[in-house]
Amino acid sequence: MTERSVKHASFVIERTYDALPARVFAAFADPAIKRRWFAEGEGWEIEEFNADFRVGGSERSRFRFRGGELIRNDTIYQDIVPDQRIIITYSMMIGDNRISASLTTMEFKPADSGTRLVFTEQGAFLDGYDDPAGREHGTGALLDNLGAMLKRESARA
């Protein structure tokens, strides 16, 4: 039998965007917009991305990086307060291995003429397949993708 382990960890990432809270919130709420910054990117092959953005609804994504193993992300929306807060639970798998289960809160706070996003994740990282530092780094990169997308869209407006 394989030895099992769980590493519990929490992290908080803050970003400030030059967009109003309603605009930043919409980038999480609208599946077409979220797919652009969350799932698409060089080297990523998206097999599935869909979301039912409502309390009790789910988000499901299936993707590979450069033809590698299938990565799965299954999310349930636990709480939604428009333009203010989203709380989700999600689990991730690589191939047949569940690598983590997390509770995540995103808070959208007015800041000057933009938004301060406070992203808090509490995770259980399983059997050495994933680790908190890697997840925090990856999440930070995704939030940077969001910022770049918001900046491009605002330059076009």
Side-chain angles (χ1 to χ4, degrees), residues 10-64:
S10 296
F11 59 85
V12 177
I13 300 173
E14 294 190 24
R15 294 288 189 273
T16 301
Y17 302 114
D18 190 21
L20 295 175
R23 177 67 194 102
V24 179
F25 183 89
F28 285 84
D30 183 313
I33 296 171
K34 185 171 184 187
R35 179 185 167 126
R36 287 200 311 263
W37 66 267
F38 184 80
E40 296 176 1
E42 187 176 333
W44 291 100
E45 301 165 15
I46 311 306
E47 294 185 10
E48 177 182 5
F49 184 88
N50 59 60
D52 177 14
F53 188 76
R54 63 180 174 83
V55 173
S58 64
E59 179 178 301
R60 180 178 162 115
S61 53
R62 306 286 182 264
F63 48 92
R64 299 174 191 274

Side-chain angles (χ1 to χ4, degrees), residues 139-151:
T139 301
L142 288 172
L143 296 177
D144 291 343
N145 289 347
L146 169 60
M149 184 197 73
L150 290 167
K151 188 178 246 184

